[in-house]
Structure formats: structure tokens, C-alpha cells
Amino acid sequence: MSLASARGLSFPVLTDALRVDGFRFVEGESMRTLLEAYGPLSDWSEFAGSWNGLEPDAYLANVGLHRRRRHAVFSAQGGEITREPHQPHYQSRDYNTLQGGIERWFAPVLPHVAESPSLRSILRFCHAFFGALSPDVATWHVELHQFRIEARPDEPGQPTPEGVHRDGVDYVLVLLIDRENIASGTTTIHSADGAMLGSFTLTRPLDAALVDDSRVFHGVTPVEPEDPMQPSHRDVLVVTFRRRSGR
């Protein structure tokens, strides 16, 4: 199956792709159509602008890497998506050898962002799409990550400093919000034995990667500034869905 999505990509074609391949790249134009079936993106400019207010990732600062982020947890059950009290992000060392095994507390996603029309449309799409892939799941544990990766002339940005990995969830959406003065940042998809299954670069707003995290591994190559004299960043939204059953 081609990695390049066709204009007007349908929901059933997309679910079939994940069942067969474990991942799919979706171009921004098609992704917009898919999302707008679940609500408006009328405040997209304000939503994307919220990435300018992210807080430094103090955990990565210890190893000299530059990333800003905010984090939130939701539950999805039936037709309801509810924000949960703020809590830490946790991954075992089986999934994150760099920072696994600890509770990481990040700045919370701001209330107006969590309730924004754009984000709610994204969450409703994810709930419908991932729910169609696993209709037996009654309740989902949903985590939301706003990421800004900063690249500097002497220090490439690291979208996935832990390397090629799994997140330890069921499904993942990676949605590009913005790229400013950035080169590279290619997403690679791998089988359990390390063989590359595909690669693509999110370059335009709403370009997306949908991943069955139980089946494939993913990583992103380092990013560098195209013009070393100007600021550069790569902004993404990551949404993970995990069936609720402890950690």
C-alpha cells in the first residue's frame, strides 16, 4: 500500500491500512476532511498558537536536549471524552530506556486548549477511529502531549531521543502543527526485528501518522535549522490511546 494518501481518503480505507500494515501516513488535506467529520477546526490558528506557550522539558534538559511540552490525561468511554485530574506521564524502561521507570510531571495543557473546538474534534476522531479497530474496549486511557522540538546550529533537535521505540500503548496519532526553519525530521516505521517498513516526513500542518503501537516501532530523525541564524522548531501533537487496565 502506498504511503502517500489520496485526496479524500475514506475512514474504512484507513482502518484497513492499519489492520494490514500497522501504520499509515495521511496528508494534511485528507486529515482535515477526516477530522472535520467529528467537529470544527474553526479555532485552528489559536490552537496552533498555544504551542508558543509550552514549558521546558526539565527532564531532557539534564542531557542537554531542548524540548518544550505540555501534557494532559483524558478518559474516553461511550460517547464521552473527559479530562482527568493532572497526573504524571509514566513509561517503563521496556519502552523508554532513556527516561523510563520514573513518573514525569509536565506542565498541564491549559484549560482553554483542552476545551478548544480543534482539540475536541481531534479527540473525537481518535476515539471513533481507534475504537473501530478495537471495538471490545469499553474505556480508553488517553494521553495528550504538546511537543515543541527546538533545533540549534550546534545541536540538532531530537524528536525521539530514546531512538526507535514503542510507546507502550495501543494506538498513536502524531499530528504536525507547525514547522519553522526545519530540515529533516523523517518518521521511520520498523518491525520488531528492526527492519524498516516505511518512512515519511510530516511537512505541512495536519500531516499525520497513525500507528498501531502494539505491532510496529517508530522513530524520528534529528532536525536541524535550515538557516542557522534564525530560530527553528517542530511542533507536533501526540495523542495515545491505551485500553484502561492499570499501567
Side-chain angles (χ1 to χ4, degrees):
M1 181 173 293
S2 171
L3 292 178
S5 65
R7 188 173 297 179
L9 180 68
S10 71
F11 194 101
V13 168
L14 196 56
T15 52
D16 287 348
L18 257 74
R19 290 190 181 104
V20 173
D21 299 327
F23 70 100
R24 185 66 188 255
F25 165 62
V26 184
E27 292 176 349
E29 184 177 351
S30 293
M31 196 68 200
R32 175 179 290 277
T33 299
L34 291 164
L35 294 174
E36 287 181 334
Y38 293 89
L41 301 177
S42 54
D43 67 333
W44 180 261
S45 293
E46 293 80 6
F47 177 63
S50 71
W51 265 253
N52 293 322
L54 304 189
E55 295 291 332
D57 182 339
Y59 298 91
L60 274 183
N62 293 333
V63 290
L65 301 178
H66 302 283
R67 177 162 70 179
R68 296 179 179 272
R69 67 192 295 175
R70 288 185 182 271
H71 173 247
V73 175
F74 297 78
S75 60
Q77 181 178 21
E80 298 296 323
I81 300 172
T82 304
R83 186 169 187 177
E84 299 292 332
H86 193 54
Q87 54 196 269
H89 177 53
Y90 179 88
Q91 292 173 293
S92 75
R93 290 189 62 83
D94 293 337
Y95 296 108
N96 188 331
T97 57
L98 181 63
Q99 295 181 307
I102 60 173
E103 292 187 340
R104 288 180 287 163
W105 288 90
F106 299 111
V109 171
L110 296 174
H112 73 276
V113 177
E115 295 299 328
S116 67
S118 289
L119 182 59
R120 287 292 163 165
S121 298
I122 292 166
L123 290 175
R124 284 191 293 268
F125 163 79
C126 289
H127 191 196
F129 181 69
F130 297 141
L133 291 166
S134 294
D136 59 309
V137 178
T139 305
W140 293 98
H141 175 88
V142 181
E143 295 200 41
L144 176 75
H145 307 263
Q146 292 179 281
F147 285 112
R148 168 166 287 183
I149 307 301
E150 298 173 338
R152 305 182 181 191
D154 57 347
E155 189 173 32
Q158 301 285 345
T160 54
E162 64 271 47
V164 174
H165 67 287
R166 289 169 55 209
D167 287 337
V169 298
D170 291 283
Y171 303 106
V172 182
L173 165 71
V174 182
L175 188 72
L176 185 72
I177 304 300
D178 183 45
R179 283 173 66 108
E180 180 68 31
N181 188 35
I182 282 290
S184 192
T186 297
T187 299
T188 60
I189 305 293
H190 304 258
S191 61
D193 64 4
M196 185 179 292
L197 302 176
S199 65
F200 44 85
T201 304
L202 308 180
T203 59
R204 297 180 179 86
L206 293 171
D207 279 359
L210 291 156
V211 178
D212 182 340
D213 190 64
S214 68
R215 293 177 53 197
V216 299
F217 291 66
H218 64 278
V220 183
T221 61
V223 295
E224 299 178 351
E226 292 179 332
D227 180 350
M229 303 304 295
Q230 299 297 322
S232 62
H233 62 256
R234 178 182 185 264
D235 293 350
V236 298
L237 174 71
V238 175
V239 182
T240 65
F241 269 59
R242 173 172 57 81
R243 62 191 68 213
R244 175 161 287 177
S245 56
R247 271 183 183 159

